[in-house]
Amino acid sequence: MTRAFEQATKPVRGQRSGGRANRQALRSHNIEQMLPHLRHGLPYTEPMDTDQIAKIDDASMAILEEVGVIFRDPIALEDWRKAGARVEGELVKFDRHHIRELIKSIPSGVEYHARDPEKNLKLGGRNCMFVPMTGAPFLRDLEDKRRNPTLDDLAMFHKLAHMSPALHSSAHHIVEPMDHAVPWRHLRITYSSMKYSDKTFMGMTTSGKNAEDVMDMCDILFGKGYIDDHPVTTGNINGNSPLVWDATMLGALRAFVKRNQPVLCSPFVLGGANTPASTVPAVVQLNAEALSALAYTQVVRKGAPAVYGHYLATVSMQSGAPMAGTPEICLMNFLIGQMARHYDVPWRTSNTLGGAKVLDAQAGYESGVNLMAVMMSGANYIWHSAGWNEAGMHCSVAKFMVDAEQCAMAYRMAQGPRWDDFDEALAAVRDVGPGGHYLGHPHTQDNFQRAFYMPKLLDNNNIEQWMANGSKSITQRALNLAKAKLDEYEEPKIDQAINEQLLDFIARRESEIPDDGGLNEDC
């Protein structure tokens, strides 16, 4: 993929629904199709000038040259030694010119291929996608009860992701299926992602062997060899900040990158705990960590797609707990966005994070602050976009629904102002004239649904109407909507023969991998 990716990129489908007749047809059938990838149309918030970008870049390169990064993996160490880096035990030190040369070969954009080709996506440049949260060991269920999740709960979230127009991926382990053995869990999670949605999805990276299983399942779903030149899934590689990449993550990285599947190279930042307690220096360290992993993807396979990643939280110096929605997280997103664009690589962030224990005002404020900063920073892969609460300890069904709607609203905002009906709308001014109203005008009738976003879950009725409707809280409304959507869900069926191959593969691998409670590093 060329550096002209952004210039050559056009929306997969039009940003308009396509004229009066089409808009009326969509309204009458109440169809909620997946939105195309977001083509960001607003200016970004970019607080740094070119000298400040260069200052962060130079400081990060100095860390890579003088301090180095630990790669706790013999294969990676040998790869770096052959590539010409200075390897001192597990510590790798780099020449800045070598790092720059390596990251030049990372494509500036990715085209994802979904099981349904109509749901293919472009990522990079001004092209963005929303992805649900993952990794929660608890959920708040359809009755708003906090409990351990099961595989059926995971399937429920995959169904809701499939039916949410602004969510572009079914992700992977939105919640951990605690009713399945850890060594085999990745197989069932991957199958659920594939079965209940035909959008793109994430692949498990809990070990190198598990990541290879994901690649094998993708070969079955898409056809042997298809993924070698068609990105279909995404792996996340978490760093151990400060300045450490471990064998588990590096093995998974190689499994994905060798098959041309994008990885998110994600330092795990707890500002003030594993980074300096200062915003800009924290970004300097994060930048060095991300660059070291991005460069390694190109040692493994030159030209493979990779995404500049991070997880951002600041730490309460009173309790040690991670915090979301803070000013410094917003600032770090702005700075990281500028750095990723400086290197011309796509980048990932985390979206509607929060530490609240229920869907309350705290949850809304934290997530809303994060969401706005993420949109104005120009992030591409917008992860953890629905359901996150309690610092990621649970995924809330109610919050999942509200967050998904907020993402749809953010999508509309980030498209920017529409100009396509400018003359038509101004003609209505002449038709209505002074003192009239526009409610019955043909332009209003034609355009009212697309002119102003009308959320389903935010109640704007007067208090009398709200009381007549049962005085329902937003949690109740969101849970009711989730139940209604699940009642209407229709599974996008996998071809029967392919489905049987997937189940046979799972059964074989479950017989081969010992149920020893581990993450399957060897089988």
Side-chain angles (χ1 to χ4, degrees):
M1 196 171 297
T2 68
R3 291 282 155 181
F5 176 89
E6 182 177 347
Q7 288 78 8
T9 296
K10 295 180 180 178
V12 176
R13 296 174 289 282
Q15 300 294 326
R16 293 188 65 186
S17 52
R20 180 185 300 183
N22 285 347
R23 293 197 296 275
Q24 289 175 339
L26 286 174
R27 287 202 297 269
S28 65
H29 290 94
N30 194 31
I31 294 171
E32 283 196 296
Q33 297 174 325
M34 188 187 91
L35 295 166
H37 59 261
L38 170 62
R39 178 74 175 171
H40 207 301
L42 293 179
Y44 301 142
T45 299
E46 297 189 318
M48 292 191 292
D49 60 29
T50 55
D51 288 343
Q52 291 166 328
I53 292 171
K55 189 170 186 176
I56 287 182
D57 174 72
D58 179 66
S60 296
M61 294 299 179
I63 289 174
L64 293 173
E65 289 179 327
E66 299 164 17
V67 179
V69 177
I70 288 177
F71 282 73
R72 288 187 178 139
D73 176 62
I75 297 173
L77 293 170
E78 184 58 26
D79 288 342
W80 276 122
R81 188 176 287 109
K82 290 178 180 176
R86 290 167 289 159
V87 179
E88 304 168 3
E90 291 185 332
L91 185 67
V92 183
K93 294 182 178 178
F94 310 89
D95 177 86
R96 66 180 62 202
H97 304 294
H98 189 199
I99 290 288
R100 293 192 203 286
E101 192 60 32
L102 285 169
I103 63 174
K104 278 182 183 177
S105 59
I106 298 173
S108 58
V110 180
E111 181 168 6
Y112 281 102
H113 297 263
R115 180 154 66 88
D116 176 4
E118 287 296 305
K119 296 182 174 74
N120 290 356
L121 299 162
K122 287 186 171 69
L123 183 84
R126 285 191 163 267
N127 300 319
C128 320
M129 60 188 285
F130 293 97
V131 182
M133 79 157 290
T134 63
F138 298 93
L139 85 156
R140 280 194 171 272
D141 63 18
L142 287 164
E143 305 306 321
D144 203 32
K145 301 299 183 186
R146 187 182 186 275
R147 59 175 174 81
N148 289 328
T150 65
L151 191 62
D152 287 342
D153 294 319
L154 177 62
M156 171 192 66
F157 279 115
H158 285 154
K159 293 172 184 178
L160 292 174
H162 178 71
M163 298 184 75
S164 299
L167 298 181
H168 296 105
S169 167
S170 60
H172 45 26
H173 63 320
I174 295 174
V175 291
E176 282 284 347
M178 298 296 192
D179 55 341
H180 278 67
V182 170
W184 305 335
R185 199 174 283 174
H186 66 288
L187 300 165
R188 296 293 176 174
I189 291 168
T190 302
Y191 180 66
S192 183
S193 300
M194 293 174 165
K195 176 180 173 66
Y196 296 110
S197 178
D198 53 12
K199 299 178 180 182
T200 188
F201 55 94
M202 297 186 75
M204 295 295 289
T205 55
T206 41
S207 75
K209 293 293 184 181
N210 289 354
E212 289 172 6
D213 284 341
V214 174
M215 297 299 99
D216 289 342
M217 293 179 74
C218 289
D219 271 336
I220 294 170
L221 184 65
F222 291 96
K224 185 71 173 176
Y226 180 84
I227 70 172
D228 292 312
D229 52 11
H230 294 83
V232 301
T233 188
T234 309
N236 181 58
I237 310 301
N238 276 331
N240 294 333
S241 299
L243 301 166
V244 176
W245 297 96
D246 67 29
T248 298
M249 292 285 93
L250 293 168
L253 179 152
R254 285 190 295 273
F256 272 69
V257 170
K258 286 178 180 177
R259 299 301 306 276
N260 202 44
Q261 299 307 298
V263 289
L264 315 174
C265 299
S266 303
F268 197 90
V269 170
L270 299 171
N274 61 9
T275 71
S278 181
T279 300
V280 178
V283 171
V284 169
Q285 178 190 301
L286 179 157
N287 190 54
E289 293 168 332
L291 290 176
S292 67
L294 289 168
Y296 183 56
T297 67
Q298 303 308 291
V299 171
V300 174
R301 176 171 173 162
K302 185 175 182 179
V307 178
Y308 183 131
H310 66 76
Y311 171 84
L312 292 179
T314 50
V315 170
S316 168
M317 294 302 166
Q318 293 178 321
S319 67
M323 300 184 294
T326 63
E328 292 75 21
I329 292 174
C330 299
L331 292 171
M332 284 192 273
N333 269 308
F334 299 151
L335 303 184
I336 292 163
Q338 285 191 263
M339 296 312 298
R341 288 188 287 275
H342 173 71
Y343 301 119
D344 197 18
V345 292
W347 70 286
R348 142 249 153 157
T349 192
S350 302
N351 194 7
T352 54
L353 305 185
K357 313 309 175 283
V358 295
L359 178 54
D360 58 8
Q362 178 183 335
Y365 279 122
E366 287 175 327
S367 294
V369 168
N370 262 30
L371 172 62
M372 186 59 66
V374 163
M375 299 315 299
M376 300 315 296
S377 66
N380 302 116
Y381 196 95
I382 307 173
W383 193 10
H384 300 316
S385 284
W388 181 289
N389 225 4
E390 197 188 341
M393 289 297 291
H394 80 251
C395 183
S396 158
V397 174
K399 190 168 185 292
F400 191 99
M401 303 305 296
V402 175
D403 288 344
E405 183 171 85
Q406 289 294 303
C407 288
M409 295 172 71
Y411 180 106
R412 173 63 198 95
M413 178 196 75
Q415 286 178 306
R418 294 185 177 116
W419 293 81
D420 53 357
D421 65 341
F422 183 79
D423 294 334
E424 204 178 330
L426 284 183
V429 177
R430 290 168 171 77
D431 293 342
V432 171
H437 70 79
Y438 292 82
L439 295 176
H441 192 277
H443 177 266
T444 304
Q445 296 297 310
D446 236 15
N447 288 277
F448 74 94
Q449 285 197 331
R450 73 183 287 263
F452 307 111
Y453 191 98
M454 292 185 289
K456 295 180 179 179
L457 292 173
L458 306 185
D459 190 305
N460 294 296
N461 293 319
N462 60 39
I463 192 166
E464 291 80 11
Q465 186 62 51
W466 176 72
M467 294 173 68
N469 291 340
S471 306
K472 294 184 178 70
S473 68
I474 191 165
T475 297
Q476 292 172 299
R477 295 194 298 273
L479 292 174
N480 289 343
L481 180 60
K483 291 171 184 176
K485 281 187 172 290
L486 291 168
D487 285 343
E488 298 166 3
Y489 170 80
E490 294 183 9
E491 184 181 320
K493 295 287 188 180
I494 298 174
D495 175 84
Q496 184 175 347
I498 292 173
N499 191 56
E500 289 174 0
Q501 289 179 58
L502 286 167
L503 293 174
D504 288 346
F505 177 84
I506 291 170
R508 176 172 65 80
R509 291 296 288 140
E510 287 182 343
S511 71
E512 294 170 347
I513 301 170
D515 183 9
D516 58 5
L519 289 173
N520 181 33
E521 298 282 359
D522 302 313
C523 290

